[in-house]
Amino acid sequence: MAARSIASLTISFGMVAIPVKLYSATETSKTISFNMLHKGCGSRLKQQYVCLKEEVVVPRDDIVKGYEFAKDQYVTFSPDELKALEETGSHSAEISEFVPIETVDPVYFDKAYYLAPDKGGAKPYALLAQALRASGRCALGRWASHGKQHVVMIRPVEDGLVMQQLLYGTDVRSIKDLDIPRTEVKDAELKLAEQLIDQQAVDRFDPDAYTDEVRVRIEAAVQKKVEGQEITLTEEREGGGQVIDLMEALRASLEKKAPAAPAPQAEARKPPKRARSAAEPSVRKTAKK
């Protein structure tokens, strides 16, 4: 099934404008979701809002949005006021700077979009992609969509460009907020850990090597239910015991991951001759005449 673009956009840097088409890089439609049903008759349920003070159901026409600025104290906004606060959607993303791609921590990555050249954009599109690859940099800019303003990173991939929506600095917690104690690592421990890493190292990430086992399990259970079959509960897996000795754990990991040596082939031997007892008669073969 051919991909369908969700929007048109113009990427600009300097005096260069690149018309592109926007495609969602992920598929949320494949997410498994369940509906809320009435246990008695199996019908769908609808959501209602209840006033906590009066304990009555409030119709949507009587609902307003408010911001809690203090405990149980709100300021309300009308739909027109909220609409005025939204960012006007733009059909362009203006590049403001170029930075080394490795300086953008993936913790800031949000939603990703594929970019493809639109009519008349093939040449500048290819130029930007090749220039980014050659420089080892990515482009940073701003883009407004759905009432919000986003910081975006345009980075080259094997066959084109990806526009990565980024989180703001205020959206990401600092790891310095965690209480991580400084711990000494012995050289022998480090050496074994490095050997274990080398033993399991691969040249590149292959997403097809990983399967969402939970989703597969849910899909199989749903299919069984549709076919009228009963679902049997599997026993919980026993967790491994706590390992106290770090060195022993590293050595055990290396031995477990090490490829098994092929067993040596045993030489073909004739079965040993059975000793003849004195009671057994001696049998001699005679040639036929």
Side-chain angles (χ1 to χ4, degrees), residues 13 40 70 81 96 112 116 120 150 164 182 198-199 215 219 230 258 260:
F13 66 104
E81 289 174 328
S96 57
H150 306 282
Q164 190 87 45
R182 292 185 176 274
D198 290 340
Q199 197 175 76
R215 177 180 166 185
E219 288 177 341
E230 290 294 329

Side-chain angles (χ1 to χ4, degrees), residues 15-46:
M15 301 300 293
V16 180
I18 310 172
V20 296
K21 290 182 178 180
L22 204 66
Y23 298 84
S24 180
T26 57
E27 293 184 287
T28 56
S29 60
K30 291 187 177 181
T31 302
I32 298 175
S33 60
F34 293 88
N35 295 310
M36 305 294 287
L37 307 176
H38 184 195
K39 186 177 180 179
C41 66
S43 300
R44 288 279 298 272
L45 301 179
K46 66 178 182 179

Side-chain angles (χ1 to χ4, degrees), residues 227-241:
E227 295 172 357
Q229 301 181 32
E230 290 294 329
I231 298 177
T232 57
L233 299 178
T234 57
E235 296 182 0
E236 294 184 2
R237 299 178 182 178
E238 295 183 2

Side-chain angles (χ1 to χ4, degrees), residues 207-220:
D208 293 331
Y210 297 86
T211 304
D212 188 346
E213 297 178 358
V214 174
R215 177 180 166 185
V216 172
R217 186 163 64 245
I218 293 175
E219 288 177 341

